[in-house]
Amino acid sequence: SIRIWKTYNGFIQALIPKAHVGKVNALMPAPAGDVFWSGGDDGWIREWPAGSGKALRSHYAAFAGPVLALAMIPGGNGFYSGHADKVVLFWLVAETEWPLCHLDPEGGQVNSLAVNPGKIGQVAVALENGLVKLYEQR
């Protein structure tokens, strides 16, 4: 489940009890702060409004396995997802069918992602074997 808390008083603003089948593994805020994204064991990536429990849109990576990491690019029009099946996908926010591209880093499952806000298209990928690989989209 996902719980959204009001920081000024500690009360729950929204509860999303069935956000994913299985665990929620990753959360990512959108730059404007009005929505956020979640990724789970079920392979779904979902966009949620910050104040409610109804998904706005979903992306499904059937071939990539559970979603373990998410990272938004500056500007908020695309994001990366890292998966247990050793793949990194790049998605456009407006598209819901298929990822725009994918990376196949060798080194096991993707544990974490970080986008470099100072260099367009650059993403760091932390892998299960302890390596961090830096990729640039062109």
Side-chain angles (χ1 to χ4, degrees), residues 1-2 16-26 38-44 46 66-67:
S1 70
I2 296 173
I16 308 168
K18 296 180 182 176
H20 293 274
V21 176
K23 296 184 298 186
V24 176
N25 297 320
S38 66
D41 275 351
D42 54 7
W44 283 95
R46 294 196 169 98
V67 181

Side-chain angles (χ1 to χ4, degrees), residues 1-17 50-53:
S1 70
I2 296 173
R3 294 179 181 162
I4 302 168
W5 302 87
K6 293 181 180 181
T7 56
Y8 63 89
N9 64 11
F11 293 120
I12 292 178
Q13 178 176 337
L15 173 64
I16 308 168
S52 82

